[in-house]
């Protein structure tokens, strides 16, 4: 069969198999890149509560954590650009948030409930415009030995009273 | 009153779209032209109806009728009028109306101009566009009505409803929430509409593709008819992405231009499939190959457009962790699912009709390189899609939410992007059909040899970064090959027609606009890559707290902090503005005014940089803090961004190239011209047989 095809297509046969190899190589490269990049760049996305219960095991890897900003705790040293504040545990589950009356409600309830777990955060950089009381902070960084979460990246969302389905967001980092 | 007019007009538009879709499908299936004609009239009616509704919303926004929930949520008294108008697309409900308005306009445009020529396909184009329109209008009418009002119940609770619920009184806030300060930017006028224009115009080629599948006209007619639509859609989508990057650089991202945010990726994904489509349709037109592939690409593009519309507005994925779901989310997924499955089953039905007319040639033939180009675009799409859905998948399978950030996208996409750039360097020199490395090598060796000059000399001048040198090499090669192509073509014309070089160049481009427009786009990409190399590899930053008269140095720049003032403005801001003098290599090059505006109504600050921008670099200063007493000390964050302006210049060249490629042809339509040519060759073939 190969003989017939070869004489039919002539040089094209070699070209075709080379082509298939090319296609295969690209597809393999894409899969390889996706798999390895996922492994090296994956970050656990935790709530404050989960972060605290993870304890030691959370120390050595990049983690994403989200919580409600407690306004009174915001301290900013404009000289060193050290920004410190505390975030309060909010549930991660969409349905749970929905049942509780939306994101704005959940954030509000979290900061007014002293029994919710809290964690202190340190971020070095310009003070983000959207940082304020009851904003939702999504931080990327590592848990320090002293129990302070050191964030390299800080994403903030401020759900407004009317358009709760469109939290405004801006990335800083 | 105005609200009632707008609302009923919206409802009528919905009914007209629904009727149009049903009547067109019925008429086309049963061969009843009267129904088709009636459907067409219904379609033509949708645009004026949605226009009335959109104008009503704009009227309400500008006049500040805050009982309307939408108006109260996106505007406020202190906003300038132009921003009140743009608030039409500032929130969910309004932007859906805006989307529908564009859809109605494009459907009508497709239906008016070529109705008699494409009689076969157009009924189904009406069906597809009107189904899409009816979906969006249905969302607005039933779920996200922009005309819904605020009411107060006797218990003092706020409710939102179209009609007055029993026992409530109208609630009329004295002022609205207003647009978030971060969105109060001229970018708001142009960035969202261009993106939407791009999104919506892609529906038209999709509609023609579906029409071709339904009617069995599976030749490349649909591709030729929609060539310009596709280019125009792609033009606006590209422009929207570039403008978004620029806006981010100016205000939102503090010197960033692209952050791999899921919302950004949502807009990028249809662009990726669209770009792959633009390349691979050329193979279909030239060689009659990749037909199924092209249908798949346009189906994907459509699905991603709807998905992107949904995401850019709702932000469901970026905030998956904590986000109150709006009622329309599941409906969107349902719609995408249904249209996607329906399109694919049509494709499977016509699978055999879409057989290739030719075999792929050798590995360095033009069609093979286009195929690789498509695979790489699909690879980037796969990376993006995986990154966006990975949190959902990981939660589903492990119960633990794991996300991936910008490092994932950068790591996985960079090699694929470099692969695309290499193809961009080689492909213009390749030919269709049987060819060999030798043939390609003969065309390539001169530009290849020359291309090593740039990295060589920049290494001599002290550039040691390998990534940058590799980048310089690739973009020099693309530039040389592309210019060589222009040169070669123009020389050939001069020889053949005795034209002077500029005339030959002009005629060469205007006679083969898609090809040479495409090359101009490639040159735009080259410039953009140069800008990206500059900011990604050579960006430096520093920060410092200065008292008046003190200085801060970064690379060749020194800035001196002169003074700080604070004042209130008419539109409800408190502005803190610093004056800094900038010196470059010790020479005074002017003053910058970084500032921080505090919006009283939303209690939110906004940081506005001071930027000195030249072709060589940007010096970018942010005012990040100051001492409240005496205003003597202030803290600055400073960036030095070399070459970044090439990103924007490249964007401009990119858009110009697309305009060259999309510019309407003079004389007869390409479709007809080609049909004639084909008929002529068919005749001569028959003649030959005789």
């Amino acid at each position: 069969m190969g003989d017939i095809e070869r004489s039919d297509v002539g040089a094209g046969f070699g070209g075709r198999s080379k082509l298939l190899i090319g296609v295969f190589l690209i597809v393999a490269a894409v899969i390889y890149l996706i798999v390895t990049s996922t492994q090296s760049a994956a970050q656990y996305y935790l709530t404050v509560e989960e972060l605290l219960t993870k304890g030691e095991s959370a120390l050595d890897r990049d983690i994403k954590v989200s919580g409600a900003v407690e306004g009174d705790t915001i301290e900013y040293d404009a000289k060193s650009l050290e920004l410190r504040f505390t975030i309060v545990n909010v549930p991660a589950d969409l349905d749970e948030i929905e049942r509780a009356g939306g994101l704005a409600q959940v954030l509000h309830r979290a900061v007014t409930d002293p029994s919710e777990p809290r964690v202190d955060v340190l971020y070095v950089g310009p003070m983000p415009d959207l940082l304020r009381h009851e904003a939702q902070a999504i931080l990327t960084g590592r848990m320090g030995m002293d129990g302070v979460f050191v964030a390299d990246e800080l994403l903030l969302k401020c759900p407004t009273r009317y358009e709760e389905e469109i939290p405004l967001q801006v990335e800083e980092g | 009153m105005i609200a009632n007019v707008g609302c009923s007009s919206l409802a009528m538009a919905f009914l007209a779209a629904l009727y149009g879709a049903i009547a067109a499908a019925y008429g086309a299936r049963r061969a009843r032209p009267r129904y088709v004609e009636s459907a067409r009239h219904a379609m033509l009616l949708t645009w004026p109806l949605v226009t009335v509704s959109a104008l009503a919303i704009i009227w309400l926004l500008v006049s500040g009728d805050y009982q309307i929930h939408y108006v109260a949520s996106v505007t406020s008294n202190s906003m300038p009028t132009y921003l009140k108008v743009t608030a039409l697309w500032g929130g969910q409900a309004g932007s859906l109306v805006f989307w529908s308005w564009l859809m109605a306009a494009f459907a009508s445009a497709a239906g008016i101009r070529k109705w008699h020529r494409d009689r076969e396909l157009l009924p189904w184009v009406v069906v597809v566009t009107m189904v899409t329109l009816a979906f969006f209008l249905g969302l607005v009418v039933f779920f996200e009505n922009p005309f819904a009002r605020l009411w107060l119940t006797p218990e003092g609770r706020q409710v939102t409803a179209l009609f007055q619920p029993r026992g409530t009184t109208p609630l009329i806030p004295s002022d609205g929430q207003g647009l978030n300060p971060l969105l109060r930017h001229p970018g708001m006028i142009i960035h969202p509409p261009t993106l939407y224009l791009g999104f919506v115009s892609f529906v038209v080629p999709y509609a023609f593709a579906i029409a071709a599948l339904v009617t069995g006209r599976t030749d490349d007619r649909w591709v030729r008819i929609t060539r310009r639509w596709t280019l125009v859609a792609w033009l606006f989508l590209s422009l929207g992405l570039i403008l978004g990057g620029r806006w981010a650089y100016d205000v939102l991202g503090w010197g960033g231009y692209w952050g791999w945010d899921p919302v950004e990726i949502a807009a990028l994904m249809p662009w990726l499939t669209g770009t792959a489509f633009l390349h691979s349709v050329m193979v279909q037109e030239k060689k009659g190959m990749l037909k199924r592939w092209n249908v798949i690409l346009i189906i994907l593009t459509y699905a991603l457009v709807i998905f992107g519309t949904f995401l850019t507005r709702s932000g469901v994925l970026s905030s998956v962790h904590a986000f109150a779901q709006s009622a329309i989310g599941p409906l969107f997924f349902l719609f995408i699912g249904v249209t996607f499955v329906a399109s694919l089953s049509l494709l499977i039905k016509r699978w055999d009709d879409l057989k290739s007319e030719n075999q792929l040639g050798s590995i360095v033939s033009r069609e093979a390189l286009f195929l690789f180009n498509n695979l790489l675009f699909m690879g980037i799409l796969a990376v993006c899609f995986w990154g966006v859905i990975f949190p959902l998948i990981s939660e589903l399978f492990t119960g633990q939410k794991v996300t991936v950030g910008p490092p994932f996208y950068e790591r996985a996409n960079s090699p694929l992007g470099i692969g695309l750039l290499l193809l961009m360097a080689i492909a213009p020199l390749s030919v269709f059909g049987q060819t060999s490395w030798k043939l390609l090598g003969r065309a390539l060796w001169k530009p290849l040899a020359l291309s090593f000059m740039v990295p060589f000399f920049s290494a001599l001048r002290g550039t040691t970064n390998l990534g940058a040198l590799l980048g310089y090499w690739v973009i020099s090669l693309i530039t040389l090959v592309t210019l060589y192509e222009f040169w070669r073509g123009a020389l050939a014309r001069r020889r053949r027609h005795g034209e002077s070089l500029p005339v030959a160049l002009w005629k060469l481009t205007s006679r083969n606009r898609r090809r040479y427009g495409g090359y101009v786009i490639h040159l735009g990409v080259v410039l953009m890559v140069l800008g990206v190399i500059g900011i990604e590899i050579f960006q430096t930053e520093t920060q410092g707290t200065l008292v008046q008269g003190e200085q801060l140095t970064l690379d060749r720049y020194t800035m001196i902090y002169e003074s700080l003032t604070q004042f209130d403005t008419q539109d409800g801001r408190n502005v803190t503005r610093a004056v800094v003098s900038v010196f470059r290599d010790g020479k005074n090059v002017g003053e910058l005014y970084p500032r921080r505006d505090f919006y009283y109504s939303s209690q939110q600050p906004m940081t506005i940089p001071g930027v000195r921008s030249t072709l060589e670099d940007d010096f970018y200063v942010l005012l990040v803090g100051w001492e409240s007493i005496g205003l003597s000390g202030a803290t600055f964050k400073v960036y030095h961004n070399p070459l970044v302006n090439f990103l924007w210049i490249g964007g401009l060249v990119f858009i110009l190239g697309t305009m060259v490629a999309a510019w309407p042809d003079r004389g007869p339509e390409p479709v007809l011209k080609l049909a004639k040519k084909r008929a002529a060759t068919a005749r001569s073939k028959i003649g030959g047989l005789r």
Side-chain angles (χ1 to χ4, degrees):
Chain A
M1 188 191 104
D3 283 343
I4 300 167
E5 272 198 13
R6 201 163 302 187
S7 60
D8 266 6
V9 195
F13 184 76
R16 248 182 105 67
S17 53
K18 267 190 222 158
L19 202 72
L20 285 177
I21 293 171
V23 170
F24 174 78
L25 282 179
I26 293 180
V27 173
V30 170
I31 293 171
Y32 169 81
L33 285 169
I34 290 179
V35 171
T36 55
S37 306
T38 307
Q39 278 165 355
S40 73
Q43 299 155 344
Y44 282 95
Y45 197 162
L46 306 172
T47 62
V48 172
E49 195 172 5
E50 288 163 342
L51 179 70
L52 294 175
T53 51
K54 286 251 164 180
E56 290 290 303
S57 69
L59 285 178
D60 59 339
R61 60 158 69 93
D62 267 8
I63 283 168
K64 224 174 187 156
V65 61
S66 104
V69 175
E70 206 165 8
D72 296 346
T73 63
I74 300 175
E75 272 175 44
Y76 187 53
D77 180 353
K79 282 209 173 79
S80 60
L81 301 190
E82 277 184 8
L83 174 64
R84 289 172 189 278
F85 57 93
T86 304
I87 55 169
V88 189
N89 185 56
V90 286
D93 189 49
L94 277 179
D95 297 332
E96 209 174 312
I97 291 169
E98 184 82 340
R99 275 197 303 278
L103 183 58
Q105 273 299 322
V106 169
L107 292 168
H108 176 71
R109 211 166 299 162
V111 292
T112 45
D113 180 358
S115 69
E116 283 288 347
R118 283 162 159 74
V119 70
D120 294 332
V121 175
L122 168 65
Y123 170 80
V124 180
M127 171 111 159
D129 292 337
L130 283 170
L131 184 75
R132 59 170 138 173
H133 190 54
E134 289 182 21
Q136 186 197 13
I138 299 174
L139 309 147
T140 312
R142 276 156 192 255
M143 195 70 188
M145 292 295 280
D146 53 357
V148 175
F149 188 85
V150 182
D152 316 314
E153 207 187 343
L154 174 49
L155 180 96
L156 289 156
K157 294 198 178 113
C158 299
T160 56
R161 187 156 32 104
Y162 289 105
E163 290 257 300
E164 267 148 10
E165 61 272 49
I166 308 168
L168 293 155
Q169 54 170 276
V170 159
E171 196 155 354
E172 332 277 5
Chain B
M1 176 55 206
I2 297 283
N4 292 341
V5 170
C7 192
S8 26
S9 164
L10 205 58
M12 282 191 281
F14 169 69
L15 292 176
L18 207 59
Y19 168 78
I22 295 167
Y26 178 79
R29 211 161 258 299
R30 296 285 158 88
R32 304 257 170 91
R34 276 179 52 211
Y35 280 91
V36 174
E37 200 56 30
S38 159
R40 181 183 176 222
H41 291 147
M43 174 183 80
L44 293 179
L45 203 59
T46 56
W47 186 68
L49 284 172
V50 184
T51 305
V52 168
S53 181
L55 286 176
I57 298 176
I58 292 176
W59 177 274
L60 295 167
L61 288 167
V62 172
S63 64
D65 187 341
Y66 295 124
Q67 202 208 339
I68 307 287
H69 169 228
Y70 184 73
V71 177
S73 66
V74 294
T75 60
S76 63
N77 291 333
S78 65
M79 272 164 61
T81 308
Y82 83 93
L83 278 176
K84 286 185 181 167
V85 175
T86 62
L88 174 62
W89 49 79
Q92 180 130 282
S95 60
L96 289 174
V97 171
F98 182 62
W99 210 98
S100 311
W101 182 71
L102 291 174
M103 185 72 259
F106 290 167
S108 306
I112 287 177
R113 281 197 57 221
K114 310 284 162 54
W115 186 258
H116 294 288
R117 199 193 61 199
D118 305 314
R119 205 169 256 289
E120 254 178 300
L121 296 177
L122 277 169
W124 295 101
V125 172
V126 174
V127 174
V128 174
T129 52
M130 287 302 108
V131 164
T132 310
L133 181 61
F135 170 69
F136 276 92
L137 286 175
L139 288 180
V140 199
V141 172
F142 299 110
F143 298 97
E144 288 280 343
N145 199 308
F147 298 103
R149 295 182 176 89
L150 292 166
W151 309 94
L152 203 62
T153 61
E155 305 88 64
R157 224 162 35 83
Q158 258 182 47
V159 287
T160 306
L162 202 50
F163 303 104
Q164 186 162 14
R166 193 182 294 267
T168 60
T169 48
L171 171 66
I172 305 171
S174 60
D175 197 358
Q177 285 281 109
L179 211 56
N180 186 288
L182 291 169
L183 298 181
R184 295 182 196 180
H185 182 268
M188 187 67 194
I189 311 174
I190 183 155
H191 166 63
T194 39
L195 216 50
Y196 271 29
L197 270 167
F199 277 178
V200 182
S201 8
F202 262 122
V203 175
V204 176
Y206 166 76
F208 273 95
I210 293 301
L213 289 179
V214 173
T215 55
R217 293 245 10 200
T218 46
D219 52 359
D220 54 9
R221 189 177 171 76
W222 72 271
V223 170
R224 290 176 189 280
I225 293 173
T226 58
R227 184 197 272 182
R228 183 144 302 116
W229 275 110
T230 316
L231 275 168
V232 169
W234 193 72
L235 170 77
F236 282 112
L237 200 49
S238 310
L239 187 62
L241 288 166
I242 294 168
L243 287 171
R246 176 72 214 203
W247 187 6
Y249 184 77
D250 283 346
V251 225
L252 296 172
W254 289 354
Y257 57 95
W258 184 262
W260 296 107
D261 181 276
V263 175
E264 291 170 353
I265 294 172
L268 179 69
M269 285 196 291
W271 184 88
L272 291 170
T273 50
T275 312
F277 179 76
L278 279 178
H279 286 94
S280 69
V281 287
M282 290 189 241
V283 179
Q284 176 165 355
E285 287 180 28
K286 281 264 170 11
K287 302 282 285 180
M289 290 187 298
L290 301 180
K291 291 180 187 172
R292 296 163 185 160
W293 180 241
N294 286 329
V295 175
I296 292 174
L297 282 180
I298 201 71
I299 292 173
L300 267 178
T301 307
Y302 175 78
L304 290 170
V305 156
I306 308 286
F307 186 60
T309 308
F310 168 53
L311 275 190
T312 45
R313 270 278 42 108
S314 70
V316 70
L317 276 172
S318 60
S319 47
V320 147
H321 212 59
F323 167 72
Q325 233 164 356
S326 114
I328 65 173
L331 291 169
F332 258 102
F333 283 108
L334 189 71
F335 183 73
I336 293 171
V338 168
T339 52
F340 193 65
V341 169
S343 313
L344 283 189
S345 36
L346 269 174
L347 171 64
I348 290 164
K349 200 176 131 203
R350 299 287 178 198
W351 192 254
D352 291 334
D353 300 345
L354 289 165
K355 238 187 356 225
S356 266
E357 293 161 26
N358 276 300
Q359 286 227 322
L360 276 168
S362 62
I363 190 162
V364 286
S365 65
R366 180 72 67 90
E367 64 265 30
L369 295 179
F370 271 169
L371 179 69
F372 294 147
N373 144 305
N374 268 242
L375 285 174
L376 287 172
F377 273 115
M378 290 299 104
I380 296 178
L381 177 73
V383 170
C384 291
F385 193 69
W386 176 253
V388 169
I389 61 159
F390 184 65
L392 303 177
I393 293 183
S394 72
E395 193 174 32
L396 203 63
F397 287 101
T398 64
Q400 177 65 62
K401 187 162 290 183
V402 184
T403 65
V404 290
F408 164 78
Y409 297 102
E410 279 159 19
R411 191 179 175 283
N413 282 334
S414 306
L416 301 176
I418 291 170
L420 276 174
L421 289 174
L422 283 174
L423 282 178
M424 200 186 264
I426 300 171
L429 297 176
S430 68
V431 291
F432 280 105
Q434 288 305 333
T435 176
S436 65
W437 282 100
K438 214 168 149 189
L439 224 57
L440 181 67
R442 208 175 295 157
L444 191 63
W445 77 268
K446 272 188 235 163
L448 188 65
L450 278 174
S451 68
F452 287 106
M453 306 269 283
V454 177
F456 179 72
F457 281 112
S458 82
L460 277 191
R461 286 190 56 192
T463 307
T464 50
N465 187 300
L466 277 180
L469 291 176
L470 175 71
Y472 289 155
W473 170 67
V474 176
I475 60 181
S476 336
L477 183 60
I478 302 171
T479 312
L480 286 165
V481 165
T482 311
L483 294 179
Y484 177 59
E485 274 293 289
F486 275 104
W487 173 251
R488 205 161 64 157
L491 271 192
R493 271 198 82 88
R494 187 171 73 167
R495 231 176 300 126
R496 216 169 331 122
H497 304 281
E499 294 159 354
S500 69
L501 263 184
V503 174
L505 205 59
W506 173 257
K507 288 207 166 164
L508 179 78
T509 310
S510 58
R511 298 273 158 88
N512 307 281
R513 263 196 302 269
R514 184 162 55 165
R515 177 163 180 187
Y516 290 95
Y519 289 157
V520 175
I521 297 173
H522 286 184
L523 290 176
V525 173
V526 162
L527 293 172
M528 292 173 84
V529 171
L530 188 61
V532 171
I533 291 175
I535 193 167
E536 292 296 331
I537 298 179
F538 297 120
Q539 184 184 54
T540 50
E541 56 176 82
T542 187
Q543 63 206 34
T545 302
L546 311 176
V547 296
Q548 280 179 15
E550 263 190 323
Q551 62 181 48
L552 187 67
T553 302
L554 179 65
D555 296 333
R556 304 165 71 179
Y557 284 93
T558 300
M559 57 164 261
I560 296 178
Y561 167 43
E562 303 286 358
S563 63
L564 190 77
T565 44
Q566 258 179 331
F567 53 89
D568 278 340
T569 61
Q570 296 262 311
D571 55 356
R573 286 176 296 154
N574 178 269
V575 177
T576 308
R577 179 169 165 277
V579 180
V580 300
S581 305
V582 181
F583 296 83
R584 187 169 188 272
D585 297 333
K587 219 176 88 210
N588 191 335
V589 288
E591 287 182 338
L592 290 178
Y593 313 102
R595 59 176 222 264
R596 195 150 157 114
D597 294 3
F598 185 79
Y599 285 80
Y600 287 113
S601 59
S602 52
Q603 291 290 301
Q604 193 186 312
M606 178 168 176
T607 309
I608 293 145
V611 186
R612 178 187 186 265
S613 191
T614 61
L615 204 54
E616 200 175 326
D617 53 16
D618 274 15
F619 186 67
Y620 193 106
V621 183
L622 290 169
L623 173 65
V624 295
W626 56 87
E627 269 155 37
S628 38
I629 307 158
L631 304 176
S632 57
T635 307
F636 299 92
K637 175 117 191 159
V638 186
Y639 296 91
H640 179 229
N641 300 331
L643 301 176
V644 69
N645 267 306
F646 284 96
L647 183 57
W648 317 120
I649 296 168
L652 211 65
V653 173
F654 189 105
I655 296 303
L656 280 176
T658 317
M659 282 162 81
V660 169
W663 203 261
D665 284 305
R666 254 175 307 171
E669 287 279 326
V671 182
L672 298 181
K673 226 164 42 191
L674 200 105
K676 269 185 202 151
K677 206 165 116 194
R678 280 198 169 174
T681 42
R683 267 200 302 279
S684 66
K685 267 185 193 161
I686 295 166
L689 283 176
R690 272 185 205 141

